[in-house]
Amino acid sequence: MKKISSYLTNQSLKGKWALTSAVVIFISFAVICSVLYLSIHSWLLNEQEQSVKRTMDDLTVFFESQGGRLTIHDIQSNKGLMNSIVDKNQTVRILNEDTVEMLRINDSTLKMPDLPDTIPFRGYAMSKEKVEKTEMFVATGPIVIGPFTGVIQLTHPLSTFESLMRYILIAMCILGLGALIASAGIGYFLATILLKPLNDLRLEMIKVAEQGFTAPITLQYDAKDEISDLLTVYRSMMGELEQSFLQQQQFISDASHELRTPIQVVEGHLSLIKRWGKDDPEVLEESLSTSLLEITRMKKLIEEMLELARREQNDLQNNADILIITTDIMNEVKGFSHDTTILLEVDPGESYQARISENAYGQILRNLLQNAVRYSEQQPMIQIRLSKQQHTVKIEVLDQGIGIAEEDQVHIFNRFYRVDSSRSRDGGGTGLGLSIVNMLVNKYQGTIKVSSKLHYGSTFSIYLPAEK
Ligand code: ADP
């Protein structure tokens, strides 16, 4: 049993399919054939027995109808009378009281069975006996023909019946074997057709494994079944893998590119302190504050790069109350920038529920407000407008800051892109703020637009899917 199960386990899917269908079809066929064979057997056997009884009944009626007019000699001399009653394959013999055979009809060479010990007084006794390897039905009863009294014995050999049953059995075995081979063949053929897309998918996977994520997935499968589901899952899995791989690579190249300068600056200042700084408090002071500034910048840079590289699962169940979070973030920004004025404009009574996580929206707005503060030359004047359209919540952040030139507007969402760092209020940006905003907005199926005029200010508009 163990061997069979391990053999089956190691078979290909096609092999398993073909073997299983062959075995199942064969077993069903065998069960049906057995039932059929047994029914035919018992029906035919019953027919044979009935035929014996019919002949015996006909003979009894024949002798009784003669009313003693016939003698045993009449019958001996005219066998045709009984021939018309007895079937060709049956043999009848009549014996006198001394068990001497007086007459035999049909097979004179057939070895007849011995008479039973007791013969019924009326009617006849039926039995099934085997004489020289031949099974036969035997009917034995008393007979009176005129003054003659004796015994009549009828035998009905079952050799024809047995050869017929043997023929049926052989036919069934041949058919069964044919069914076994045909079902295995059809099973294998069907498995080949049905498993073809699975095999194609396997080849596709091998290709990707050999060539890496860059290899495009070319497999086309239009049917809507489990395999197309599998392909969809595979495609999205590969997409996610590729994205996280690219993000990882991006992070490594960003980190090595962006962190090199501040590290070099800190390194330079530290060697300056080592050489002269210990004795010169002015150099020491300046180098330490520059290094500290660079390290703070590096910290911020690393945090933002990590934020960009982080890949949270987009949970569509997210639901944020935009009004509440906007008010919270406004207060937060006002807390660290006291000279900033932020005005909020909303439609009274309107609810602003959007499909986004509270944290993500908080971060988007925080980054936009920080920029509005950072890129204002005078006291920052910011306006936030919330409005609801059919399926979207629109958030606008308007400032009266330095504005962004048209040629720069297309680049500001790129990583590390900065228009002119010297013009910002604190000069401490990293060029990652808007790429984080863009990434988060896209992640929650939203869009972002910018419209700006140099020296007059900028407006950032965000459209988020509204919660129904
Ligand atoms: P940073 O850390 O430099 O602020 P961001 O990605 O947030 O990086 O912004 C990219 C660039 O876009 C900034 O360097 C700045 O030049 C410009 N910018 C962003 N927001 C504004 C704004 N509200 N007004 C003017 N310029 C802006």
Side-chain angles (χ1 to χ4, degrees), residues 77 99 328 455 466:
S77 54
T99 66
D328 288 350
H455 311 302

Side-chain angles (χ1 to χ4, degrees), residues 3 34 40 53 55 59 107 174 216 237 249 345 350 355 363 373 419 429:
K3 269 189 181 170
S34 307
I40 293 174
K53 284 179 178 170
T55 311
L59 284 172
D107 192 348
I174 292 171
M237 224 167 66
Q249 279 199 329
E345 207 178 290
E350 183 64 275
R355 252 183 278 153
Q363 187 161 13
V373 172
V419 177

Side-chain angles (χ1 to χ4, degrees), residues 76-356:
Q76 276 171 326
S77 54
N78 189 3
K79 286 185 182 173
L81 284 171
M82 275 176 73
N83 265 339
S84 58
I85 298 172
V86 180
D87 280 1
K88 277 201 186 74
N89 59 337
Q90 295 173 338
T91 301
V92 173
R93 65 172 177 163
I94 295 173
L95 302 105
N96 66 13
E97 283 175 326
D98 301 325
T99 66
V100 176
E101 193 173 306
M102 305 296 291
L103 172 86
R104 183 185 283 229
I105 284 167
N106 285 343
D107 192 348
S108 55
T109 56
L110 184 75
K111 169 101 173 64
M112 296 294 272
D114 295 336
L115 287 180
D117 296 338
T118 50
I119 291 161
F121 184 65
R122 278 184 66 80
Y124 49 88
M126 285 285 300
S127 62
K128 198 168 162 216
E129 286 177 40
K130 197 170 191 175
V131 181
E132 287 181 344
K133 294 184 185 165
T134 310
E135 287 256 33
M136 53 180 73
F137 275 124
V138 183
T140 318
I143 186 165
V144 179
I145 310 168
F148 175 82
T149 57
V151 177
I152 182 165
Q153 191 182 40
L154 185 147
T155 56
H156 182 108
L158 294 174
S159 40
T160 319
F161 159 79
E162 275 167 358
S163 59
L164 179 68
M165 287 319 293
R166 210 171 304 123
Y167 174 77
I168 291 175
L169 190 69
I170 291 170
M172 280 179 172
C173 286
I174 292 171
L175 275 176
L177 205 70
L180 185 75
I181 294 167
S183 56
I186 293 170
Y188 193 81
F189 176 69
L190 274 180
T192 313
I193 292 177
L194 295 175
L195 295 178
K196 187 183 174 298
L198 210 60
N199 196 38
D200 292 348
L201 188 62
R202 186 179 70 92
L203 295 176
E204 189 79 29
M205 285 173 171
I206 292 173
K207 189 181 85 183
V208 171
E210 280 169 359
Q211 300 178 11
F213 299 114
T214 41
I217 300 171
T218 49
L219 184 57
Q220 283 299 325
Y221 189 71
D222 299 327
K224 291 257 166 293
D225 57 14
E226 289 83 349
I227 291 175
S228 79
D229 291 349
L230 197 69
L231 194 62
T232 313
V233 173
Y234 172 67
R235 279 208 170 103
S236 91
M237 224 167 66
M238 288 314 289
E240 294 216 356
L241 261 175
E242 186 178 4
Q243 216 183 332
S244 66
F245 177 73
L246 291 177
Q247 257 166 337
Q248 206 179 33
Q249 279 199 329
Q250 180 83 52
F251 181 82
I252 292 167
S253 70
D254 286 353
S256 49
H257 180 257
E258 293 302 316
L259 294 176
R260 191 170 294 140
T261 320
I263 287 173
Q264 276 170 350
V265 172
V266 174
E267 194 185 19
H269 279 283
L270 285 179
S271 47
L272 206 67
I273 295 171
K274 197 178 173 199
R275 253 182 270 159
W276 300 293
K278 279 171 279 182
D279 312 317
D280 188 341
E282 218 173 285
V283 172
L284 185 68
E285 177 59 33
E286 202 204 318
S287 293
L288 279 179
S289 15
T290 317
S291 301
L292 208 62
L293 209 73
E294 284 301 324
I295 284 173
T296 316
R297 217 178 85 76
M298 257 191 319
K299 194 176 144 206
K300 193 170 175 211
L301 196 69
I302 289 169
E303 274 166 8
E304 295 199 338
M305 281 196 301
L306 283 173
E307 184 59 45
L308 262 181
R310 192 178 298 145
R311 282 175 34 77
E312 290 162 25
Q313 266 307 307
N314 182 4
D315 184 0
L316 289 176
Q317 293 305 312
N318 277 320
N319 179 14
D321 189 320
I322 298 298
L323 183 56
I324 293 180
I325 302 162
T326 306
T327 319
D328 288 350
I329 303 293
M330 266 169 61
N331 294 334
E332 185 187 305
V333 173
K334 277 191 217 158
F336 63 75
S337 174
H338 298 290
D339 61 343
T340 301
T341 311
I342 309 178
L343 296 174
L344 178 62
E345 207 178 290
V346 290
D347 292 335
E350 183 64 275
S351 101
Y352 301 97
Q353 303 285 339
R355 252 183 278 153
I356 187 165

Side-chain angles (χ1 to χ4, degrees), residues 2-67:
K2 257 188 183 173
K3 269 189 181 170
I4 295 176
S5 99
S6 91
Y7 174 75
L8 261 182
T9 316
N10 295 327
Q11 282 295 309
S12 67
L13 269 182
K14 269 191 259 181
K16 278 182 195 151
W17 194 323
L19 263 174
T20 316
S21 60
V23 168
V24 169
I25 292 177
F26 182 71
I27 290 175
S28 333
F29 188 82
V31 170
I32 294 170
C33 279
S34 307
V35 171
L36 213 65
Y37 180 82
L38 290 175
S39 315
I40 293 174
H41 185 276
S42 88
W43 176 69
L44 281 181
L45 198 63
N46 189 43
E47 273 295 299
Q48 307 293 303
E49 195 176 354
Q50 289 307 317
S51 150
V52 173
K53 284 179 178 170
R54 254 192 322 270
T55 311
M56 280 303 274
D57 290 343
D58 288 352
L59 284 172
T60 312
V61 171
F62 170 71
F63 288 122
E64 278 175 2
S65 67
Q66 295 307 314

